[in-house]
Amino acid sequence: MLRFLTPRLVYVKVFENRFILKLLEDGHTPVTAVSTTPFTTKRLLVGNFTAAASTLKESLRQLLAGRWLATRPAMLIHPTEKVDGGLSQVKERIFLELGTSSGACKVHVWQGHELTDTEAREHAAGSARTTP
């Protein structure tokens, strides 16, 4: 398959009112995006979906800038805070929809330890869920 047709892999760590995005290719440094409108509420990591989606979409656009022909990326989203006891189906769905609304062709939600680039590539490429 032609390399430029392969989705680029992006690892997104979600913190209170900010994202850290990393393109999982050699030589790329992470990008931090802080939301101008808070999206975290007292109980939810993403309580204001519109603000979170807008911030993620804009930061993804900046991360992938410079390619005139680009496919939609595959995304691994890792909520890092407010996940005591794991994610409910509803909370997981929020992150899946967040990735889809930002332009990802595949989205997978990771719960657990922070992943190395190699682990993140394996999860994003191998077990990513295709979204509508």
Side-chain angles (χ1 to χ4, degrees), residues 3-124:
R3 180 163 163 66
F4 72 90
L5 293 177
T6 304
R8 299 177 90 181
L9 304 177
V10 179
Y11 181 31
V12 179
K13 291 183 269 187
V14 185
F15 297 90
E16 288 188 13
N17 298 312
R18 70 185 169 102
F19 298 102
I20 297 179
L21 293 84
K22 182 157 189 199
L23 188 58
L24 296 175
E25 297 174 1
D26 292 335
H28 288 274
T29 57
V31 171
T32 300
V34 179
S35 181
T36 55
T37 303
F39 59 77
T40 301
T41 64
K42 186 175 182 178
R43 294 181 306 144
L44 298 170
L45 188 54
V46 176
N48 181 337
F49 186 85
T50 305
S54 175
T55 302
L56 183 57
K57 187 173 188 173
E58 177 59 26
S59 57
L60 187 62
R61 187 186 65 73
Q62 291 174 2
L63 183 72
L64 300 175
R67 287 182 62 136
W68 63 274
L69 179 62
T71 60
R72 294 169 47 196
M75 187 178 289
L76 179 65
I77 298 181
H78 181 190
T80 61
E81 300 175 314
K82 299 188 182 216
V83 292
D84 295 337
L87 294 177
S88 66
Q89 271 188 330
V90 173
K91 288 182 180 181
E92 183 176 357
R93 182 64 185 253
I94 288 170
F95 293 109
L96 291 170
E97 293 293 328
L98 191 61
T100 301
S101 69
S102 69
C105 65
K106 295 179 183 179
V107 180
H108 181 72
V109 177
W110 170 253
Q111 298 179 63
H113 66 280
E114 186 172 335
L115 300 172
T116 65
D117 287 358
T118 302
E119 290 173 325
R121 270 188 218 95
E122 289 171 3
H123 285 285

